[in-house]
Amino acid sequence: VSFAEADETPTYAKDVAPIFREKCEACHRPGYIAPMSLQTYAESRPWARSIKNRVETRQMPPWHLDKSVGIQDFQNDRSLSDNEISTIVRWADGGAPQGNPADVPPAAVFADDDVWNYAERFGGPPDLIVRSTPHTMPALAQDHWWKPTVPTGLTEDRWVRAIEIRPSTSEGRRITHHALARLQQEEDEGQDLTQASGLAAGLLMEWAVGKQGEIMREGSGKLMKAGSNIVFDIHYSTAGEEITDSVELGLYFYPKGEEPEHELYSRALAQNYDLDIPAGDDDVRHDSYHPFTENVRLTGYQPHLHNRGKRQCIEAILPDGTTEMLSCSNWDFGWHIVYNYEDDAQPLLPKGTFLHTMTWHDNSAGNRWNPDARNWAGFGQRSSDDMSFTWTSYYELDDDEFAAAQEERRVMTNDDDN
């Protein structure tokens, strides 16, 4: 922002509306999960001070990544830039003027919610659709977390190449805050991770308003085994009337007999079962580690904590003893965000690397999610207990593939520098 621009008060029509179009209206429009629409000046003006507070503190849009450390290139980055935040703050501080209505950009065009986004690309609707057990959200109630387990019905193993997830009706979008689908099945080593740890074996997909789906990186896919289940984790909020809905998970398979070179894993790594969170303490740190015995390419991660969660960082401890901070993010129990790295930013970690997870919890009365700051907390399945692990998506590379990936990254980095 130039000094001249900084002295001018931004207007809704010319400066703020384009930001709302791109970053806010997917949720903030009639019939969707946000509490108010921001599609017009008349709708936005009364909320100017509240909007300022939410964007200035980076509570909205929901993207809790720490922008001061680690990798910053993500496929699904919904955050505001520093300039965008400055524009909104100066607009609100300047009285939130409307400006010339002729400057307002054209209305945003959103994808049809009833259409599968990848149907045209793959020549038809998903090969398999798994629906969560319907859930009824009362007109007035506390938020609900609905976690049904549903069989996939698969009688043979299949490789997944793309995934979509969505509420099944337009009414469902009014109450669905976000939804996750996890894969529950026997792993190759014969260990059922769900039974062993109380956690599903792999995170398949997260849905939030404005998110379409995921197409696997070329040559990679997720293996779904015969007899597997989907464990849904759905956050519902009230909409002022009773609504019943379910969530649909759409899976596109590779053709039978065609197997990708790499299996993409999404696993709960560096689980810490020894949490010790004293009553009233607002900054409790725990560390946990996971060794990679093969070379890996990390494609994404998602922190997992409960009500007392505050922050999580992941760091790579390389075989030579050096460390590389990968990512840090603050935690808000209301949003479970998957951070998917851009292809050219995905960490390449040699065998022998340890994934170091650092987690902080806030058990004070100042934490709005804390059920009771008077109580000690430890590991447990209830939301009133807590957890500390990282859902990590990755696939393994042999030594030749890893060397080729490193060379590709080196060339790419040198090109960028030039």
Side-chain angles (χ1 to χ4, degrees):
V1 179
S2 68
F3 290 113
E5 290 172 328
D7 290 337
E8 298 177 3
T9 298
T11 66
Y12 169 84
K14 183 179 180 181
D15 306 292
V16 175
I19 300 172
F20 287 178
R21 290 281 191 274
E22 181 182 358
K23 299 291 182 68
C24 307
E25 289 183 18
C27 292
H28 288 270
R29 52 188 168 123
Y32 281 75
I33 191 67
M36 72 287 199
S37 175
L38 298 178
Q39 290 191 301
T40 69
Y41 176 72
E43 292 170 332
S44 305
R45 176 62 184 85
W47 299 97
R49 290 193 177 278
S50 178
I51 292 170
K52 172 193 169 182
N53 174 263
R54 290 300 186 97
V55 303
E56 199 170 30
T57 56
R58 292 195 179 274
Q59 295 178 58
M60 287 288 156
W63 183 260
H64 304 128
L65 194 86
D66 188 331
K67 289 181 172 291
S68 66
V69 297
I71 298 167
Q72 297 297 320
D73 299 322
F74 293 86
Q75 298 176 13
N76 58 326
D77 189 345
R78 65 182 80 174
S79 64
L80 298 178
S81 68
D82 291 342
N83 280 346
E84 288 171 329
I85 292 175
S86 173
T87 296
I88 293 172
V89 169
R90 290 186 293 115
W91 171 69
D93 287 343
Q98 179 178 14
N100 184 354
D103 290 334
V104 174
V109 177
F110 296 98
D112 188 336
D113 291 325
D114 295 325
V115 172
W116 291 104
N117 295 297
Y118 302 146
E120 183 175 351
R121 175 167 182 158
F122 293 114
D127 300 300
L128 175 65
I129 299 174
V130 182
R131 294 177 176 84
S132 67
T133 308
H135 182 72
T136 299
M137 193 67 195
L140 296 173
Q142 296 294 324
D143 288 7
H144 289 187
W145 275 264
W146 181 234
K147 302 183 180 182
T149 298
V150 181
T152 62
L154 286 177
T155 58
E156 59 182 333
D157 296 354
R158 294 299 302 268
W159 286 91
V160 179
R161 60 179 175 176
I163 306 172
E164 295 188 58
I165 185 172
R166 66 185 192 183
S168 60
T169 67
S170 58
E171 290 296 294
R173 287 172 175 78
R174 297 175 58 198
I175 61 172
T176 308
H177 188 283
H178 67 264
L180 296 95
R182 296 186 174 112
L183 179 62
Q184 181 188 72
Q185 63 188 11
E186 288 285 325
E187 295 290 11
D188 291 339
E189 64 270 22
Q191 180 188 23
D192 184 335
L193 294 185
T194 303
Q195 298 303 317
S197 66
L199 303 168
L203 179 65
L204 278 175
M205 183 68 194
E206 176 235 18
W207 178 87
V209 175
K211 187 171 182 178
Q212 289 189 333
E214 179 182 4
I215 298 176
M216 306 298 150
R217 196 172 192 273
E218 185 177 354
S220 68
K222 294 190 177 184
L223 178 62
M224 291 183 66
K225 296 193 172 186
S228 56
N229 298 320
I230 299 299
V231 180
F232 288 94
D233 187 346
I234 309 166
H235 179 181
Y236 286 119
S237 298
T238 57
E241 63 180 284
E242 183 179 286
I243 295 175
T244 299
D245 195 61
S246 59
V247 167
E248 297 178 322
L249 175 69
L251 300 152
Y252 299 84
F253 295 136
Y254 280 93
K256 289 185 179 181
E258 182 179 337
E259 295 187 4
E261 298 174 46
H262 303 290
E263 180 173 0
L264 182 64
Y265 301 107
S266 291
R267 289 175 169 165
L269 301 186
Q271 174 68 272
N272 195 328
Y273 297 101
D274 298 320
L275 300 182
D276 180 6
I277 309 173
D281 197 325
D282 66 355
D283 196 31
V284 186
R285 173 173 167 169
H286 292 91
D287 295 74
S288 52
Y289 304 84
H290 175 83
F292 286 115
T293 57
E294 302 292 337
N295 308 310
V296 298
R297 176 189 283 267
L298 263 58
T299 63
Y301 90 105
Q302 178 194 335
H304 187 86
L305 302 88
H306 284 183
N307 286 299
R308 295 174 177 83
K310 179 178 181 179
R311 179 178 172 84
Q312 188 176 95
C313 297
I314 57 172
E315 174 187 67
I317 303 176
L318 301 172
D320 63 4
T322 59
T323 62
E324 178 184 353
M325 183 61 73
L326 302 179
S327 295
C328 287
S329 62
N330 294 325
W331 174 256
D332 184 326
F333 187 65
W335 295 95
H336 294 227
I337 299 172
V338 180
Y339 300 96
N340 293 311
Y341 298 110
E342 289 282 8
D343 279 3
D344 58 3
Q346 292 169 349
L348 299 170
L349 306 178
K351 64 179 68 174
T353 296
F354 276 78
L355 181 71
H356 176 199
T357 296
M358 296 158 274
T359 302
W360 290 261
H361 290 88
D362 178 358
N363 197 11
S364 72
N367 176 2
R368 69 188 179 99
W369 291 105
N370 194 352
D372 192 340
R374 298 170 299 176
N375 288 334
W376 172 92
F379 172 86
Q381 300 298 328
R382 303 172 302 171
S383 294
S384 56
D385 301 316
D386 226 293
M387 285 189 177
S388 167
F389 69 84
T390 304
W391 283 111
T392 310
S393 298
Y394 66 95
Y395 59 84
E396 297 173 349
L397 302 170
D398 64 29
D399 291 343
D400 291 339
E401 291 170 328
F402 188 71
Q406 285 184 309
E407 176 62 16
E408 179 185 41
R409 183 69 55 83
R410 186 190 65 78
V411 171
M412 188 180 304
T413 301
N414 287 340
D415 288 344
D416 290 342
D417 291 341
N418 294 330

